[in-house]
Structures are given as C-alpha cells and as structure tokens.
Amino acid sequence: MHTWKMWAICTALAAYLPEEQVLRQACLSCDATQSCNCSFMGLDFIPPGLTGKITVLNLAHNRIKVIRTHDLQKAVNLRTLLLQSNQISSIDEDSFGSQGKLELLDLSNNSLAHLSPVWFGPLFSLQHLRIQGNSYSDLGESSPFSSLRNLSSLHLGNPQFSIIRQGNFEGIVFLNTLRIDGDNLSQYEPGSLKSIRKINHMIISIRRIDVFSAVIRDLLHSAIWLDVRKLAFSVPEKIQLLRIMSSSFAKKISLKQCLFTDATVPEIVSILEGMPKLMEVEMKDCTLLGTGKWYKQIHANQSQSLRILTIENLSIEEFYLFTDLQSVLDLLSLFRKVTVENTKVFLVPCKLSQHLLSLEYLDLSANLLGDQSLEHSACQGAWPSLQTLNLSQNSLSDLKMTGKSLFHLRNLNLLDISENNFGEIPDMCEWPENLKYLNLSSTQIPKLTTCIPSTLEVLDVSANNLQDFGLQLPFLKELYLTKNHLKTLPEATDIPNLVAMSISRNKLNSFSKEELTVRGAQVGSVQLSLMECHRSLLVSLICTLVFLFILILVVVGYKYHAVWYMRMTWAWLQAKRKPKRAPTKDICYDAFVSYSENDSNWVENIMVQQLEQACPPFRLCLHKRDFVPGKWIVDNIIDSIEKSHKTLFVLSEHFVQSEWCKYELDFSHFRLFDENNDVAILILLEPIQSQAIPKRFCKLRKIMNTKTYLEWPPDEEQQQMFWENLKAALKS
C-alpha cells in the first residue's frame, strides 16, 4: 500500500513539474554544463522536456524506434546528439529542422533501411556524421549529404551495403576522414568519389580487388592517407588491377587485417615503390602466407620519398623458416624509421642491418631477440646512424653483453631495454659513448652498480627490486624509481643536476627538508600520494568509514526487516529440500485452508460449519486456531501444508492482495503443482479477472488457466450442490 501511495504522489507531482525537471527525472545525468546522459536507460522514445539550454544529448544504447517531428523541436542549441545503438527505423522528414547548430550526429548501429537528404538539409553546421551499421543497401539515387557544407568526417556502410552510385557524394568538397565499411561492396560506379577534392584520411574496408581498384582510381589525387582493411592480396593475376596505385599521390598507406603471399609480395612492393609521394607504409594485424622466398625477383627502384616502415602483429605461421631477406636489401637503405613489433623476430641478418644506412629509429619490441641474436643483429657496421633503439619485451638476460653488442653505435642516445629479465648486473659494462636515456624498468634488478653509464641524463629503473640508490650520476636530470622497495631518498650530492624524480609506491617512512635540497636549492615541487604522506590518518579514516558503513547496514536492515526476509528465504530453501510427501502417520488434517483475513467471516462461520459438522466430519487446519503459538509463522505454514491431505485456496480480490497468501502459494508450489495431482482445491469466492491478478501471483494465474475450480454460487438453491462437490473433492 505504501508503494502504491508513493507512486500516486509522484505521478501527481510530475504533472506540475516544469518540462526541464521531467527531463531530469527521465534522464538522470543532466549536469551543470547542459550535457544530458540518457544512455543505457531502456528508453522507448526521446524523453520530453528538452529545452534550448541543452548542448549535448546522449541517448545511445536505448530502445528508441522512431524520431518524431516534435521530439527535438525545442533543443535549438544542441551541438552533439548521440543516438547510436538504438532500434531507429523511421525518422520524420523535419525531425532535425531546429538543429542548425548541431556539429556531431551519431545514428550508427540502428535499423535505417534508407537515407533521406531531407533529414540532413537543416544541419548546415554539421561536422561529424556517423551512419554505419544500419541496414541500407545504398545511399539512394542522389547525394544525401549535398547540404552538409561543413562536414569534416563521415562514417558509413554496413554488411548489406553493396553499391555506390555517381552523385552519392555530390556537395562534399573536403573531408578530414571518410570511412566506408564495404565488406560486401560489389558495385562501384566510376567517378562516384571524384567530386571530393581532398580526403586527409580515407579508410575503406573491402574484400574485392576489382572494386577497390575502381575506388582508388577516383582517389589518385585526393587521398593523403589510404587506410585499407580486410583486403586479400592473394591472387597474383588480380594484383595487376592495383597498378593504378602507382599514380597515387598518397603520402601514407596503411594495410590492416590484410592477407599476403610469397607470390604477391613482389608485385605489392613494386606498386608501392612507384608511388611518387609515398613517405610511410604501415602494416597492422596482417597475415603472410610464406617464408620470404619470393617467386618473382623484387626490383629495387629505391623510392626517393619512402622513409617510414611500421609492421605490427604480423602473423607468419612458419616464421622459423623465414629467409634472410637478401632480396630486399637494396630497398631498405633509405629508411629512417622502422618498427617491427610483436612479429616473432628472433634475428636481424647482419647484412640487412649493414644496409640500413639511414636508419635513425628502430623499434623491435615484443619479439624474440636473445643475447646471442642481438650480438649478430647489431654486428660491426650495422645501423650506423641509429639514435633510438627499442628492445623492450624481448628475451635479453645479460646486461653486460647487451651493452657490448651496442657499444659501436656512436650515435645511439636512447635505449629502451625494459621488460627483459636481467636480474643481477655486473659492476662494469661498456655502453655507446653518447647514450643519454636508458630504460631498465621491469627487468628484475635487485641492485644498481657502476654498470649503469655515468653519461645518462634520464634513467628509468621503475618496477624492480631496488632497496637503495647509491649511484653517482653527475649529468642525470630525470630519475624514475616508482614501484621499488626504497626506504630513503637518493643522496642529493650524487645527482646534483636532478630536475625531476618519481619515487611513488616505495617504502619511504619519512624524509627531512634537507633531503629535498640539492646544493642549497630547495626542490620546488614534490608530489606524493595521500598514502605516503598520511598513512596512519588514512588507515584511521578507512576504519571509520568501514564502521559507519556497517552501522548503516545494520540500521537499514532493522528498519526494513532484512533479517526477517533472510529467515523467510532460508525457510523457503528448506521447504524445497524436504520430501514432497509427508509420511501417512504424520497427516492429521483433511485440508489446510489458505484465505485472506478479510474473508474470515465466510470461512469460519459458513465453510467450517458445513465441513466440520458433516457426517463424517472433515478436520480443517486454520491459522487462527491451529498454528502453534510462539512458532515462526513461515514454519507454521510449511508444517500445516505438509500435515494436510489437501490445501484449500479461498480466492477473492482480498486474497490476491495478501502477501501471506502469496507465501502460502510459494511454499506449497513444490508439493502441490509440480506433481500434477489434485492436492490443491481452488474455491472462487467472487469473480476475479486473470488480468487483475498481480504479477507476483504468476503461479495462481497459471493454475486458474489450467485447473478446474469451484465457484461459490450466490443462489441458495445451488449452494447445496457446491458443498457436495467440495466434499467429494476432499475425499478424492
């Protein structure tokens, strides 16, 4: 009753609330910046109460099906509207009529079967449009984007998207990013993308080389960065269709989730080398079927512009059989930056290293390089111009040998060998003479020695097992000691030029003002965590909060009878585990009567007299008369049901409003209804519509639809027949 009263009060108040407050009720996160987050709220429609104050509206991940004309009419200052991941299948033509200031519209992952130019007509300020993941198969006969003169990024496509027509992109002159998800794109009309004069980043996911070739033909002079995904370069004959790429003015090519074979690699290399302005090639998450034994000789033209090569997560199943890349040596001499990450590289051939004459940056992280293979890879004459080398996450274990292998690299100033397993390090090591930055974090070092070069300006030894720091590093400017076991700060006199030091997550107990002074100049900024500064206070605060939390739980549990509900749940579980039938010797009632207190007059004065004074008499179990005093009521209900042949349910409007009657139904359900027998007898004292039965009485609704029940007749002549039928049911 209290719940229904509160609901009625809230409903009445809502009728008088301003529209803005109604929105705040439906959309719980409207903050002071006029940004409303209504995502993941199960909304079936755009909530009412939108005002001109709102600038950001997030309605993502709901169940909205339709955008109507009036839904957004008052939100005239919207800058961002997020409607992705709903079920939108219909948009009224003038739904966005008042969104002239809208800059970002996300309609992705909905159910739009077509796109209408009328929707986007008023959105003359729109910069970012996302419509991918819907169910349209094309963009229509004309351009849906012709009015979007300020559009900067566009993302479209879906698994059903199959055709691009001429005129689909009319009106768009410049795009920073264009992404087309066209895994099943089968038809492209030449010239469709030619109207766009410049695209900084063109992302296209496609599977057919012939369609891809047609797209590229229109992008020869407009695309600056070509990002190609999911294309299989596996048939040498079809690769000839890509010869048109040699005329592209693109400066960067990305190949992601693509497939290559030994037969197609030479052709691809030849095409890329022919691109006059290409500066960078990137391969990520690709697969190479082969071992580097190219079936066709690679002719090196030595591109005068290509300088950066990035290979990440390249899958080569037979990587251990891969060749020494002798055939591509001449291609690599002009590269300045090379990244080969997580590609199972265990060796760089010496000849290849010696040909990398211009290389300034080399990243071989997350590979399989060991001490011996590094010595071979960094042979004499290798990488003569190298300045930065990343060997993190490899299999190096000898720090002295690592330094010796790299000693001849005169230009090397940054070395990252973190996340290797060095352990104990020697007292003396050789290092490149210009080394300034050394990263030794997460390398299991227990103690630092003079193996660390004194020329360093930056040293990172975080996440090791260091207990002290006693090195003299006169040029050091930055020191990173996070996640060690230090108890005191390093001596200031040993690192006189230190500018920055990170020492959090150690075991520092205390330090003095003098320890934070370097040659008379006090450190200007020290940032320590709350735990490090006030450990005792923080522990006390946590204990106090835990105590208050427990106290609140106790008070709330007492107020809302939590213990009673737990006892009831335990009793229900015990009832489920008991045998479904009590032994015959324990049956002492003909029937247990479940009824509402409001129907007690009929039960106690009419039914009891008719049945208990019959010949032979029936013995009934009534809660008022037969429950054991002092025993918990739930236990009384269970025991009475188990000790009775039958259970009589006296159904009425009062019955379905009673919580105790519901418990009696629940506790008896496992015995009365799961066996499909006639232990339950239903008496309908007054008509009850099944739709009027509350949801919590779902078992009762099911029973009334499947079992026959006795109806109490208002006509006295028919009541005698009612009693005869009831007695017969009790005897059965």
Side-chain angles (χ1 to χ4, degrees), residues 136-156:
Y136 51 84
S137 60
D138 59 21
L139 301 177
E141 296 295 334
S142 60
S143 172
F145 319 113
S146 56
S147 61
L148 304 178
R149 300 297 179 179
N150 291 303
L151 196 63
S152 174
S153 69
L154 174 62
H155 188 174
L156 57 89

PDB file of all heavy atoms in Angstrom, residues 136-156:
ATOM      1  N   TYR A 136      20.705  -0.077 -44.686  1.00  0.00           N
ATOM      2  CA  TYR A 136      20.535   0.407 -46.052  1.00  0.00           C
ATOM      3  C   TYR A 136      21.525  -0.317 -46.971  1.00  0.00           C
ATOM      4  O   TYR A 136      22.635  -0.660 -46.591  1.00  0.00           O
ATOM      5  CB  TYR A 136      20.741   1.915 -46.126  1.00  0.00           C
ATOM      6  CG  TYR A 136      22.023   2.415 -45.494  1.00  0.00           C
ATOM      7  CD1 TYR A 136      23.215   2.414 -46.202  1.00  0.00           C
ATOM      8  CD2 TYR A 136      22.040   2.881 -44.182  1.00  0.00           C
ATOM      9  CE1 TYR A 136      24.392   2.861 -45.631  1.00  0.00           C
ATOM     10  CE2 TYR A 136      23.212   3.329 -43.594  1.00  0.00           C
ATOM     11  CZ  TYR A 136      24.381   3.320 -44.325  1.00  0.00           C
ATOM     12  OH  TYR A 136      25.558   3.753 -43.755  1.00  0.00           O
ATOM     13  N   SER A 137      21.125  -0.550 -48.208  1.00  0.00           N
ATOM     14  CA  SER A 137      21.987  -1.228 -49.182  1.00  0.00           C
ATOM     15  C   SER A 137      22.680  -0.243 -50.108  1.00  0.00           C
ATOM     16  O   SER A 137      23.640  -0.596 -50.793  1.00  0.00           O
ATOM     17  CB  SER A 137      21.177  -2.222 -50.012  1.00  0.00           C
ATOM     18  OG  SER A 137      20.140  -1.556 -50.713  1.00  0.00           O
ATOM     19  N   ASP A 138      22.187   1.004 -50.156  1.00  0.00           N
ATOM     20  CA  ASP A 138      22.836   2.036 -50.966  1.00  0.00           C
ATOM     21  C   ASP A 138      22.552   3.393 -50.338  1.00  0.00           C
ATOM     22  O   ASP A 138      21.872   3.491 -49.314  1.00  0.00           O
ATOM     23  CB  ASP A 138      22.350   1.984 -52.416  1.00  0.00           C
ATOM     24  CG  ASP A 138      20.840   2.174 -52.537  1.00  0.00           C
ATOM     25  OD1 ASP A 138      20.234   2.723 -51.597  1.00  0.00           O
ATOM     26  OD2 ASP A 138      20.267   1.774 -53.556  1.00  0.00           O
ATOM     27  N   LEU A 139      23.075   4.447 -50.951  1.00  0.00           N
ATOM     28  CA  LEU A 139      22.895   5.802 -50.433  1.00  0.00           C
ATOM     29  C   LEU A 139      21.788   6.544 -51.153  1.00  0.00           C
ATOM     30  O   LEU A 139      21.605   7.742 -50.934  1.00  0.00           O
ATOM     31  CB  LEU A 139      24.213   6.586 -50.556  1.00  0.00           C
ATOM     32  CG  LEU A 139      25.411   5.986 -49.814  1.00  0.00           C
ATOM     33  CD1 LEU A 139      26.664   6.810 -50.084  1.00  0.00           C
ATOM     34  CD2 LEU A 139      25.152   5.899 -48.319  1.00  0.00           C
ATOM     35  N   GLY A 140      21.062   5.847 -52.023  1.00  0.00           N
ATOM     36  CA  GLY A 140      19.990   6.465 -52.781  1.00  0.00           C
ATOM     37  C   GLY A 140      20.447   6.843 -54.176  1.00  0.00           C
ATOM     38  O   GLY A 140      21.581   6.587 -54.592  1.00  0.00           O
ATOM     39  N   GLU A 141      19.553   7.469 -54.929  1.00  0.00           N
ATOM     40  CA  GLU A 141      19.852   7.850 -56.308  1.00  0.00           C
ATOM     41  C   GLU A 141      20.683   9.122 -56.384  1.00  0.00           C
ATOM     42  O   GLU A 141      21.388   9.359 -57.358  1.00  0.00           O
ATOM     43  CB  GLU A 141      18.544   8.037 -57.084  1.00  0.00           C
ATOM     44  CG  GLU A 141      17.712   6.771 -57.218  1.00  0.00           C
ATOM     45  CD  GLU A 141      18.417   5.700 -58.049  1.00  0.00           C
ATOM     46  OE1 GLU A 141      19.259   6.059 -58.905  1.00  0.00           O
ATOM     47  OE2 GLU A 141      18.137   4.504 -57.825  1.00  0.00           O
ATOM     48  N   SER A 142      20.598   9.960 -55.353  1.00  0.00           N
ATOM     49  CA  SER A 142      21.355  11.216 -55.337  1.00  0.00           C
ATOM     50  C   SER A 142      22.198  11.264 -54.067  1.00  0.00           C
ATOM     51  O   SER A 142      22.379  10.257 -53.389  1.00  0.00           O
ATOM     52  CB  SER A 142      20.397  12.407 -55.407  1.00  0.00           C
ATOM     53  OG  SER A 142      19.511  12.386 -54.299  1.00  0.00           O
ATOM     54  N   SER A 143      22.692  12.434 -53.732  1.00  0.00           N
ATOM     55  CA  SER A 143      23.538  12.571 -52.542  1.00  0.00           C
ATOM     56  C   SER A 143      22.710  12.965 -51.328  1.00  0.00           C
ATOM     57  O   SER A 143      22.039  14.000 -51.340  1.00  0.00           O
ATOM     58  CB  SER A 143      24.611  13.632 -52.775  1.00  0.00           C
ATOM     59  OG  SER A 143      25.304  13.894 -51.574  1.00  0.00           O
ATOM     60  N   PRO A 144      22.770  12.171 -50.242  1.00  0.00           N
ATOM     61  CA  PRO A 144      22.074  12.585 -49.016  1.00  0.00           C
ATOM     62  C   PRO A 144      22.849  13.650 -48.251  1.00  0.00           C
ATOM     63  O   PRO A 144      22.364  14.178 -47.256  1.00  0.00           O
ATOM     64  CB  PRO A 144      21.980  11.284 -48.209  1.00  0.00           C
ATOM     65  CG  PRO A 144      23.018  10.383 -48.772  1.00  0.00           C
ATOM     66  CD  PRO A 144      23.361  10.845 -50.144  1.00  0.00           C
ATOM     67  N   PHE A 145      24.083  13.994 -48.728  1.00  0.00           N
ATOM     68  CA  PHE A 145      24.958  14.895 -47.968  1.00  0.00           C
ATOM     69  C   PHE A 145      25.167  16.236 -48.674  1.00  0.00           C
ATOM     70  O   PHE A 145      26.057  17.000 -48.299  1.00  0.00           O
ATOM     71  CB  PHE A 145      26.328  14.232 -47.761  1.00  0.00           C
ATOM     72  CG  PHE A 145      26.268  12.772 -47.435  1.00  0.00           C
ATOM     73  CD1 PHE A 145      26.758  11.825 -48.328  1.00  0.00           C
ATOM     74  CD2 PHE A 145      25.703  12.333 -46.246  1.00  0.00           C
ATOM     75  CE1 PHE A 145      26.704  10.477 -48.042  1.00  0.00           C
ATOM     76  CE2 PHE A 145      25.635  10.982 -45.957  1.00  0.00           C
ATOM     77  CZ  PHE A 145      26.133  10.043 -46.852  1.00  0.00           C
ATOM     78  N   SER A 146      24.366  16.524 -49.669  1.00  0.00           N
ATOM     79  CA  SER A 146      24.623  17.690 -50.515  1.00  0.00           C
ATOM     80  C   SER A 146      24.565  19.009 -49.755  1.00  0.00           C
ATOM     81  O   SER A 146      25.195  19.986 -50.154  1.00  0.00           O
ATOM     82  CB  SER A 146      23.623  17.718 -51.673  1.00  0.00           C
ATOM     83  OG  SER A 146      22.293  17.699 -51.176  1.00  0.00           O
ATOM     84  N   SER A 147      23.826  19.072 -48.646  1.00  0.00           N
ATOM     85  CA  SER A 147      23.689  20.326 -47.895  1.00  0.00           C
ATOM     86  C   SER A 147      24.713  20.461 -46.773  1.00  0.00           C
ATOM     87  O   SER A 147      24.778  21.501 -46.121  1.00  0.00           O
ATOM     88  CB  SER A 147      22.274  20.424 -47.303  1.00  0.00           C
ATOM     89  OG  SER A 147      22.043  19.348 -46.409  1.00  0.00           O
ATOM     90  N   LEU A 148      25.510  19.431 -46.556  1.00  0.00           N
ATOM     91  CA  LEU A 148      26.447  19.431 -45.424  1.00  0.00           C
ATOM     92  C   LEU A 148      27.779  20.040 -45.844  1.00  0.00           C
ATOM     93  O   LEU A 148      28.784  19.352 -46.014  1.00  0.00           O
ATOM     94  CB  LEU A 148      26.635  17.999 -44.905  1.00  0.00           C
ATOM     95  CG  LEU A 148      25.351  17.266 -44.496  1.00  0.00           C
ATOM     96  CD1 LEU A 148      25.665  15.853 -44.038  1.00  0.00           C
ATOM     97  CD2 LEU A 148      24.630  18.031 -43.392  1.00  0.00           C
ATOM     98  N   ARG A 149      27.807  21.346 -45.977  1.00  0.00           N
ATOM     99  CA  ARG A 149      28.978  22.043 -46.493  1.00  0.00           C
ATOM    100  C   ARG A 149      30.137  22.063 -45.505  1.00  0.00           C
ATOM    101  O   ARG A 149      31.285  22.259 -45.905  1.00  0.00           O
ATOM    102  CB  ARG A 149      28.602  23.488 -46.849  1.00  0.00           C
ATOM    103  CG  ARG A 149      27.507  23.589 -47.902  1.00  0.00           C
ATOM    104  CD  ARG A 149      27.959  22.997 -49.232  1.00  0.00           C
ATOM    105  NE  ARG A 149      26.899  23.063 -50.252  1.00  0.00           N
ATOM    106  CZ  ARG A 149      27.047  22.638 -51.494  1.00  0.00           C
ATOM    107  NH1 ARG A 149      28.187  22.106 -51.866  1.00  0.00           N
ATOM    108  NH2 ARG A 149      26.042  22.725 -52.358  1.00  0.00           N
ATOM    109  N   ASN A 150      29.878  21.895 -44.221  1.00  0.00           N
ATOM    110  CA  ASN A 150      30.939  21.935 -43.211  1.00  0.00           C
ATOM    111  C   ASN A 150      31.352  20.545 -42.732  1.00  0.00           C
ATOM    112  O   ASN A 150      32.083  20.422 -41.752  1.00  0.00           O
ATOM    113  CB  ASN A 150      30.489  22.771 -42.004  1.00  0.00           C
ATOM    114  CG  ASN A 150      30.364  24.239 -42.349  1.00  0.00           C
ATOM    115  OD1 ASN A 150      31.321  24.853 -42.801  1.00  0.00           O
ATOM    116  ND2 ASN A 150      29.180  24.794 -42.154  1.00  0.00           N
ATOM    117  N   LEU A 151      30.885  19.517 -43.422  1.00  0.00           N
ATOM    118  CA  LEU A 151      31.170  18.154 -42.977  1.00  0.00           C
ATOM    119  C   LEU A 151      32.674  17.877 -43.024  1.00  0.00           C
ATOM    120  O   LEU A 151      33.348  18.148 -44.018  1.00  0.00           O
ATOM    121  CB  LEU A 151      30.433  17.156 -43.867  1.00  0.00           C
ATOM    122  CG  LEU A 151      30.313  15.721 -43.317  1.00  0.00           C
ATOM    123  CD1 LEU A 151      29.497  15.711 -42.041  1.00  0.00           C
ATOM    124  CD2 LEU A 151      29.674  14.812 -44.357  1.00  0.00           C
ATOM    125  N   SER A 152      33.192  17.314 -41.916  1.00  0.00           N
ATOM    126  CA  SER A 152      34.624  17.013 -41.807  1.00  0.00           C
ATOM    127  C   SER A 152      34.892  15.519 -41.760  1.00  0.00           C
ATOM    128  O   SER A 152      35.883  15.041 -42.319  1.00  0.00           O
ATOM    129  CB  SER A 152      35.211  17.677 -40.556  1.00  0.00           C
ATOM    130  OG  SER A 152      36.550  17.299 -40.361  1.00  0.00           O
ATOM    131  N   SER A 153      34.031  14.754 -41.075  1.00  0.00           N
ATOM    132  CA  SER A 153      34.222  13.300 -41.012  1.00  0.00           C
ATOM    133  C   SER A 153      32.901  12.596 -41.275  1.00  0.00           C
ATOM    134  O   SER A 153      31.848  13.031 -40.805  1.00  0.00           O
ATOM    135  CB  SER A 153      34.783  12.885 -39.640  1.00  0.00           C
ATOM    136  OG  SER A 153      33.832  13.070 -38.618  1.00  0.00           O
ATOM    137  N   LEU A 154      32.986  11.512 -42.044  1.00  0.00           N
ATOM    138  CA  LEU A 154      31.799  10.742 -42.430  1.00  0.00           C
ATOM    139  C   LEU A 154      32.131   9.266 -42.334  1.00  0.00           C
ATOM    140  O   LEU A 154      33.130   8.811 -42.888  1.00  0.00           O
ATOM    141  CB  LEU A 154      31.377  11.097 -43.855  1.00  0.00           C
ATOM    142  CG  LEU A 154      30.241  10.274 -44.479  1.00  0.00           C
ATOM    143  CD1 LEU A 154      28.957  10.438 -43.682  1.00  0.00           C
ATOM    144  CD2 LEU A 154      30.030  10.680 -45.935  1.00  0.00           C
ATOM    145  N   HIS A 155      31.280   8.521 -41.611  1.00  0.00           N
ATOM    146  CA  HIS A 155      31.463   7.074 -41.461  1.00  0.00           C
ATOM    147  C   HIS A 155      30.167   6.397 -41.900  1.00  0.00           C
ATOM    148  O   HIS A 155      29.100   6.641 -41.328  1.00  0.00           O
ATOM    149  CB  HIS A 155      31.783   6.725 -40.009  1.00  0.00           C
ATOM    150  CG  HIS A 155      32.174   5.301 -39.793  1.00  0.00           C
ATOM    151  ND1 HIS A 155      32.611   4.820 -38.571  1.00  0.00           N
ATOM    152  CD2 HIS A 155      32.210   4.241 -40.646  1.00  0.00           C
ATOM    153  CE1 HIS A 155      32.892   3.531 -38.686  1.00  0.00           C
ATOM    154  NE2 HIS A 155      32.648   3.163 -39.940  1.00  0.00           N
ATOM    155  N   LEU A 156      30.259   5.559 -42.929  1.00  0.00           N
ATOM    156  CA  LEU A 156      29.064   4.902 -43.447  1.00  0.00           C
ATOM    157  C   LEU A 156      29.375   3.452 -43.809  1.00  0.00           C
ATOM    158  O   LEU A 156      30.524   3.027 -43.805  1.00  0.00           O
ATOM    159  CB  LEU A 156      28.525   5.670 -44.668  1.00  0.00           C
ATOM    160  CG  LEU A 156      29.482   5.870 -45.861  1.00  0.00           C
ATOM    161  CD1 LEU A 156      29.396   4.731 -46.849  1.00  0.00           C
ATOM    162  CD2 LEU A 156      29.170   7.193 -46.561  1.00  0.00           C
TER     163      LEU A 156
END
